[in-house]
Amino acid sequence: MAESVVQGVSEMKLTDDVNEIHTVNENGETTEHFISLMIKAGSDRECVGCCPFSQRLFMILWLKGVVFQVTTVDKATVPKNISDISPGCNPPFLIFNGEVLNDIQKCEDFIEAELYPPRYPKLSCKHPNSNNIGSDIFAKFSALAKFKGNPNDPKRQGMVNKLNNELSKLNNYLNEPLDDEIDEGSDESEPQKSTRKFVDGNTMTMADCNLMPKLNMIRVAGREMLNYEIPCKFDGIHRYLNTADATDEFTQTCPDDGEIVWTYGGRKPRPKLVKH
């Protein structure tokens, strides 16, 4: 597990010689990388904010098992030391041995290329279809979330239907055995059903880092703000979300439900009491 620190941006210290910075991990070993991830800050300008792209990179670095620093950044008041690094850039972005990366896909590709086996796990998918499954789900949900008309308007129901159609495709994929799951000796009269934990198998990959944060936002914002629930018939998706809820890689990088609700127009979360 990665040793990570989430801190307010006011505590962050950057130097001109970041390549000379070394971090000691829990085994007392000196790492060869300085990695700092800037993610969206939440309602109090310090906590983890609601941003699936921020959580995506957060999860990837966590899964890699590398030591890294996490800093929450409020987009409305980006400090000078951050704006000097990446002018006009909104989080998330990554500083990797002094190089600033602010494109999500490039960040992902860079991490996979630089943190490679045998020291770091490979996170790319073994099955090509796993890379793109669910790619249109969040767009369909965003369209529904932006709808401000009458709840009984047929247009809204059309948006719900389009979202459910995309979720159905994902559900079918999660329930369909992958090539390496198929039991050739099984009874052909009984269709096989996958029980795998994640999109591409029983190991979390880049595909999960992209999909899990978005499905969670749909689950929370849909239930609390849009009178929408992921249908119970999508058992593969519910199995998948239950698996996500049991993993540190997802839960420890996830914004609170209140932050998601606030992002979609709900009440601002109450400040958490600091225990002394």
Side-chain angles (χ1 to χ4, degrees), residues 3-99:
E3 176 188 334
S4 59
V5 180
V6 180
Q7 60 181 33
V9 81
S10 61
E11 301 172 10
M12 180 185 176
K13 296 179 180 179
L14 298 175
T15 72
D16 294 330
D17 301 316
V18 290
N19 285 307
E20 300 302 318
I21 296 177
H22 298 281
T23 309
V24 178
N25 64 19
E26 59 269 25
N27 296 321
E29 301 169 333
T30 302
T31 66
E32 69 274 27
H33 302 294
F34 173 78
I35 303 172
S36 186
L37 174 64
M38 312 294 167
I39 63 175
K40 179 184 175 182
S43 57
D44 64 359
R45 299 184 177 181
E46 291 185 1
C47 67
V48 174
C50 174
C51 173
F53 308 107
S54 291
Q55 189 179 3
R56 175 179 171 179
L57 295 181
F58 201 165
M59 288 179 67
I60 289 171
L61 288 173
W62 191 297
L63 284 167
K64 281 291 184 180
V66 67
V67 178
F68 61 103
Q69 178 188 64
V70 182
T71 303
T72 54
V73 179
D74 178 24
K75 294 195 295 183
T77 56
V78 178
K80 187 176 185 303
N81 59 345
I82 300 296
S83 60
D84 287 346
I85 295 172
S86 187
C89 178
N90 291 322
F93 57 93
L94 187 71
I95 302 173
F96 196 110
N97 290 348
E99 183 171 353

Side-chain angles (χ1 to χ4, degrees), residues 182-254:
I182 297 175
D183 182 2
E184 300 293 347
S186 67
D187 185 353
E188 294 184 0
S189 64
E190 291 291 333
Q192 296 182 46
K193 187 173 182 179
S194 178
T195 58
R196 67 185 185 274
K197 295 179 179 179
F198 304 109
V199 171
D200 198 56
N202 285 322
T203 303
M204 202 178 290
T205 63
M206 295 281 192
D208 301 294
C209 298
N210 181 29
L211 193 56
M212 282 182 179
K214 294 176 180 178
L215 284 177
N216 183 54
M217 289 175 65
I218 293 171
R219 173 174 58 173
V220 175
R223 179 183 66 235
E224 300 295 335
M225 297 299 298
L226 304 175
N227 193 29
Y228 174 82
E229 295 270 2
I230 297 175
C232 295
K233 65 180 180 180
F234 296 151
D235 57 334
I237 292 177
H238 287 287
R239 183 183 75 243
Y240 180 66
L241 284 170
N242 288 337
T243 300
D245 291 339
T247 62
D248 286 341
E249 294 87 351
F250 172 73
T251 59
Q252 297 300 314
T253 61
C254 193

Side-chain angles (χ1 to χ4, degrees), residues 130-147:
S130 296
N131 290 308
N132 299 316
I133 190 66
S135 59
D136 291 331
I137 289 175
F138 199 64
K140 297 296 188 291
F141 174 74
S142 296
L144 175 63
K146 292 175 182 176
F147 181 76

